[in-house]
Amino acid sequence: MIEIALDIALGCVALAMLLNLWSLLKGPTAPDRILALDTMIINAIALFVLFGVMENTRVFFEAALLMAMVGFVGTVAYTKFLLRGDIVE
């Protein structure tokens, strides 16, 4: 039963990532693209967690944690660059 739920969840997250990719490529403004990239990172984290549940290993959970930290810093850097034109003050 859990395998079916994981397969459905993987399909939903994969579809969400495709829609995020479309939004990233077609986003009319830079903030829309930053939002699409941030959402894509969140979906990638969800994929790592789902793979971790499927494989019953902690490696994917640690990778998801690292990706969350890097994704947050990246999103803040992109946004700060967009707002101020410079990352380092």
Side-chain angles (χ1 to χ4, degrees), residues 29-32 34 74-89:
T29 63
D32 291 332
I34 292 172
T75 302
V76 169
Y78 283 135
T79 304
K80 193 170 181 181
F81 179 76
L82 190 67
L83 290 175
R84 299 182 182 172
D86 192 11
I87 295 174
V88 179
E89 294 181 20

Side-chain angles (χ1 to χ4, degrees), residues 3-78:
E3 291 85 14
I4 295 171
L6 287 172
D7 289 339
I8 292 171
L10 281 174
C12 290
V13 172
L15 178 65
M17 287 191 78
L18 286 175
L19 292 173
N20 285 332
L21 182 64
W22 181 76
S23 179
L24 182 67
L25 295 175
K26 290 287 194 178
T29 63
D32 291 332
R33 291 182 175 160
I34 292 172
L35 181 63
L37 185 65
D38 189 45
T39 308
M40 187 179 283
I41 290 170
I42 291 170
N43 286 329
I45 292 167
L47 275 179
F48 278 135
V49 170
L50 288 172
F51 284 136
V53 171
M54 286 177 71
E55 298 296 325
N56 199 15
T57 180
R58 293 183 182 181
V59 174
F60 288 107
F61 296 115
E62 293 172 2
L65 182 63
L66 289 173
M67 182 170 257
M69 289 190 293
V70 171
F72 174 74
V73 171
T75 302
V76 169
Y78 283 135

